[in-house]
């Protein structure tokens, strides 16, 4: 069996005072069993990232830190949103740990999946995605919007794992590579597959939030979805180019049609030239905007300065 390695559980917290005590109890139990069975090193920790909470969250994290040897925490200067909080935690963890798992504070992600994740990590996977096996406990609205979102992303050409949110295990080299991504608008579940490296999935049942309410109201969810698409895909621009092209083709058909109408004599004077110019100009304008957009899209992708590759393995003597 491998030498036990250090695991950091990264947990972003925004106004989570109601759940932290229970979460800590259950998560530490899990960590202790893993440590006792020799699967992970005794230096493993649960790392709370306080994302500018407005309630007692940070005070509670301080108390837990005092009372519990497995707990540590970092405090962000203000609320920066879930993705940034997770990244802050992961970037901190990569200095201390061999691998890290990110999960929500509300225990919606089943912590019993951690065992299997750790096993798959030791089996040679750098990333293990936690995937929801069903959404029985989600409301109809959440289920349809969420699954629709994954399908839309696929259609837009973004490589994401279906029904996987931010419950995942990452090895240190994945975290190091993630640190090379300079973009400001984070969409972690799209970035990790981009990094590559061997990966596997673990299925789990998603539970209900056991206390408190969702910190992701519809408005934040939509903003997040839009961020995901616009940060990873320039398909919407391509769509404009195609639309312009199609309308231009229609204008040619209209030209033919109006000439025929003119020859047959069904037209009011001036109609033919007007109708053709309306279609032709509309089409050409859209086409032109699309082409300009295409260049802006390129500039946009360049400014991200994303690393172009990650070396998976080096063979040398
Ligand atoms: N969260 C955060 N900053 C925010 C919003 C949420 O750190 O601005 C954390 C929150 O504390 C939780 C996780 O992100 O640990 C997921 O949030 P939530 O459970 O409310 O989302 P849902 O499960 O409803 O999608
Ligand atoms: Mg939740």
């Amino acid at each position: 069996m491998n030498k036990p390695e250090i695991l950091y559980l990264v947990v972003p917290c925004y106004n989570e005072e109601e759940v932290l005590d229970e979460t800590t109890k259950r998560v530490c139990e899990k960590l202790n069993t893993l440590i006792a069975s020799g699967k992970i090193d005794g230096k493993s920790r649960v790392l709370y990232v306080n994302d500018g909470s407005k309630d007692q969250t940070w005070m509670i994290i301080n108390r837990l830190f005092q009372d519990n040897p497995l707990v540590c925490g970092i405090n962000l200067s203000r609320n920066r949103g879930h993705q940034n909080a997770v990244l802050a935690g992961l970037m901190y963890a990569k200095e201390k740990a061999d691998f890290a798992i990110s999960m929500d504070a509300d225990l919606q992600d089943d912590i019993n999946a951690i065992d299997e994740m750790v096993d798959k990590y030791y089996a040679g996977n750098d990333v293990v995605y936690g995937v929801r096996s069903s959404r029985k406990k989600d409301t109809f609205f959440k289920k349809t919007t969420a699954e629709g979102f994954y399908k839309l992303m696929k259609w837009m050409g973004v490589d994401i794992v279906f029904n996987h949110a931010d419950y995942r295990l990452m090895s240190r080299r994945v975290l190091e590579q993630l640190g090379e991504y300079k973009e400001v608008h984070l969409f972690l579940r799209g970035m990790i597959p981009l990094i590559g490296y061997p990966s596997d999935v673990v299925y789990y049942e998603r539970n209900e939030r056991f206390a408190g309410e969702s910190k992701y109201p519809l408005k934040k969810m939509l903003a997040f979805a839009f961020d995901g698409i616009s940060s990873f895909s320039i398909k919407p621009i391509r769509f404009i180019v195609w639309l312009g092209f199609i309308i231009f083709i229609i204008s040619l058909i209209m030209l033919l049609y109006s000439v025929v109408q003119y020859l047959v004599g069904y037209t009011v004077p001036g109609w033919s030239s007007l109708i053709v110019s309306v279609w032709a100009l509309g089409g050409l304008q859209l086409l032109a905007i699309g082409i300009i957009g295409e260049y802006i899209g390129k500039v946009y992708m360049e400014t991200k300065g994303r690393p172009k590759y990650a070396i998976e393995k080096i063979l040398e003597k």
Side-chain angles (χ1 to χ4, degrees):
M1 191 169 160
N2 318 52
K3 188 175 151 297
E5 295 185 18
I6 304 174
L7 163 67
Y8 265 52
L9 280 177
V10 174
V11 186
C13 309
Y14 177 61
N15 296 345
E16 298 286 7
E17 56 182 10
E18 288 148 295
V19 305
L20 276 179
D21 281 298
E22 182 63 23
T23 301
T24 308
K25 201 178 117 228
R26 291 206 223 160
V27 160
C28 288
E29 228 170 82
K30 176 60 61 193
L31 283 182
N32 275 323
T33 343
L34 286 168
I35 293 170
S37 63
K39 270 195 180 173
I40 58 172
D41 191 279
K43 289 200 277 295
S44 299
R45 296 285 179 268
V46 44
L47 173 70
Y48 289 119
V49 183
N50 177 36
D51 184 21
S53 299
K54 297 188 173 51
D55 62 1
Q56 295 298 308
T57 300
W58 182 238
M59 267 61 85
I60 296 174
I61 294 173
N62 272 287
R63 170 167 57 71
L64 292 167
F65 170 71
Q66 300 287 325
D67 299 347
N68 195 318
L70 289 179
V71 174
C72 53
I74 52 180
N75 189 25
L76 301 190
S77 59
R78 52 157 295 172
N79 181 256
R80 297 305 306 264
H82 173 223
Q83 299 287 297
N84 289 311
V86 174
L87 185 77
L90 292 176
M91 289 304 106
Y92 178 84
K94 89 175 158 34
E95 309 299 327
K96 315 259 174 190
D98 297 306
F99 62 113
I101 296 178
S102 55
M103 57 179 273
D104 290 357
D106 52 16
L107 296 181
Q108 280 189 289
D109 307 320
D110 182 12
I111 59 169
N112 293 315
I114 291 178
D115 301 66
E116 209 184 320
M117 283 184 170
V118 172
D119 287 342
K120 292 200 162 160
Y121 167 72
Y122 285 125
N125 293 292
D126 284 272
V127 184
V128 185
Y129 299 100
V131 173
R132 294 164 197 178
S133 54
S134 76
R135 286 179 174 269
K136 278 200 240 51
K137 301 220 171 91
D138 274 348
T139 59
F140 175 75
F141 178 74
K142 178 100 189 180
K143 183 175 144 77
T144 27
T145 49
E147 291 191 341
F149 167 67
Y150 287 101
K151 290 194 183 118
L152 180 67
M153 293 296 286
K154 270 261 142 66
W155 189 68
M156 287 281 173
V158 186
D159 181 19
I160 55 172
V161 179
F162 191 70
N163 266 343
H164 157 72
D166 281 300
Y167 186 28
R168 81 177 81 77
L169 180 150
M170 287 150 288
S171 70
R172 190 200 279 144
R173 64 175 180 172
V174 168
L175 298 177
E176 272 161 6
Q177 196 63 30
L178 184 63
E180 299 292 322
Y181 282 67
K182 303 298 178 210
E183 56 213 77
V184 182
H185 293 98
L186 292 182
F187 187 69
L188 291 170
R189 67 190 73 166
M191 289 159 74
I192 305 291
L194 216 55
I195 294 175
Y197 289 130
S199 66
D200 206 339
V201 295
V202 160
Y203 293 93
Y204 70 97
E205 286 276 336
R206 173 126 163 132
N207 301 317
E208 276 165 83
R209 216 174 214 283
F210 73 89
E213 54 192 35
S214 174
K215 273 70 188 177
Y216 261 103
L218 183 63
K219 200 172 137 225
K220 261 197 199 172
M221 243 159 62
L222 287 177
F224 183 60
F226 191 71
D227 237 13
I229 293 168
S230 58
S231 302
F232 278 83
S233 171
I234 48 172
K235 268 214 179 162
I237 297 175
R238 296 265 151 84
F239 180 68
I240 298 179
V241 177
W242 274 110
L243 202 64
F245 186 69
I246 289 166
I247 291 181
F248 186 67
I249 298 289
I250 294 178
S251 86
L252 294 182
I253 298 170
M254 285 308 281
L255 179 70
L256 218 67
Y257 174 70
S258 63
V259 167
V260 172
Q261 292 293 76
Y262 176 77
L263 290 179
V264 179
Y266 282 153
T267 50
V268 188
W271 175 80
S272 318
S273 53
L274 261 180
I275 201 69
V276 171
S277 6
V278 166
W279 280 95
L281 278 179
L284 282 177
Q285 269 168 357
L286 270 181
L287 199 61
I289 292 174
I291 290 171
I292 294 171
E294 191 73 24
Y295 284 98
I296 294 181
K298 292 263 152 58
V299 172
Y300 169 62
M301 285 303 179
E302 290 291 337
T303 52
K304 278 186 191 293
R306 284 178 181 169
K308 280 176 271 307
Y309 55 83
I311 294 172
E312 201 271 307
K313 198 178 259 171
I314 295 178
L315 296 175
E316 57 182 359
K317 288 233 171 68

